[in-house]
Amino acid sequence: MIESYIKELIKEYPNFPKDGILFKDLMPILANPKVYKLLINKMGQSSICKRAENIIAIDARGFLFATSIGLSLEKPVIVARKPGKLPGNLIEESYELEYGTNALSIQKEALLNKDNFVIIDDLLATGGTVSCISNILKKEGKKIIGLSVVVELLELRGRNKVNMEVDSIVKY
């Protein structure tokens, strides 16, 4: 039920941000509060989200879903941001995207006294972003319960790369 509402709202933009990429725009979901609320409730009820004590939100669209889920489940949300966006003592890791390279960082102190995490993002494509966060957490001795995303692009096989339990609401 929720899956069909979400698919109706997602807009596709060919050749964005570069030629050959079909960009899935999830922002129209936010413009529909009823569907957005249903989505947050469904993601929050997944066994991955329920078992995790903490949430890692991936910059930037992952913030929109992770913070709402964190609020509804009353779980702490820690952000993974792109370079130059966080102050303090940072743990940083580089990764490859389907259209380039980037890096993410987490404030080291944000991980103190926190043991296990669910990673939340808008979309799973090649798995590079999630693998990056997974590497950071593992280096810090943290446990990853799994990944929760709104959309999974099956043909890019990101699930195989991330090597963790994945919960996706919509699959293409």
Side-chain angles (χ1 to χ4, degrees):
M1 178 173 152
I2 181 71
E3 296 85 354
S4 61
Y5 293 139
I6 291 170
K7 278 190 172 184
E8 285 176 25
L9 291 172
I10 292 173
K11 293 183 79 176
E12 294 182 342
Y13 292 90
N15 301 313
F16 182 83
K18 74 174 209 176
D19 286 346
I21 302 294
L22 179 60
F23 186 84
K24 305 270 189 209
D25 184 10
L26 280 64
M27 296 304 99
I29 295 169
L30 302 178
N32 187 318
K34 289 181 182 177
V35 173
Y36 183 52
K37 184 176 183 177
L38 288 170
L39 172 62
I40 295 304
N41 289 337
K42 181 156 177 93
M43 289 178 77
Q45 293 306 308
S46 76
S47 67
I48 295 170
C49 287
K50 285 183 173 184
R51 291 190 329 256
E53 296 169 355
N54 307 280
I55 295 170
I56 293 277
I58 298 181
D59 193 347
R61 292 178 305 271
F63 295 173
L64 302 168
F65 304 101
T67 53
S68 295
I69 292 166
L71 205 66
S72 71
L73 298 178
E74 297 183 5
K75 294 185 181 196
V77 177
I78 292 93
V79 297
R81 303 242 23 217
K82 294 185 174 110
K85 301 292 184 181
L86 288 174
N89 186 9
L90 304 177
I91 309 156
E92 188 169 289
E93 179 99 12
S94 296
Y95 65 98
E96 298 214 11
L97 293 161
E98 58 273 25
Y99 49 84
T101 61
N102 212 332
L104 289 169
S105 54
I106 298 174
Q107 291 172 316
K108 192 167 180 80
E109 59 270 17
L111 298 178
L112 293 175
N113 303 315
K114 294 176 177 68
D115 295 318
N116 68 60
F117 297 84
V118 58
I119 301 169
I120 295 181
D121 205 359
D122 64 330
L123 185 138
L124 174 61
T126 63
T129 309
V130 175
S131 293
C132 174
I133 295 304
S134 178
N135 290 341
I136 290 173
L137 292 173
K138 287 177 182 174
K139 285 178 185 174
E140 295 298 309
K142 307 301 178 183
K143 181 179 179 186
I144 302 151
I145 303 300
L147 168 67
S148 180
V149 294
V150 180
V151 172
E152 180 178 0
L153 303 178
L154 296 173
E155 70 182 37
L156 297 177
R157 300 181 184 180
R159 181 182 291 252
N160 298 340
K161 184 175 182 180
V162 300
N163 195 27
M164 66 181 71
E165 187 177 348
V166 177
D167 183 32
S168 53
I169 305 299
V170 174
K171 296 171 179 66
Y172 287 97

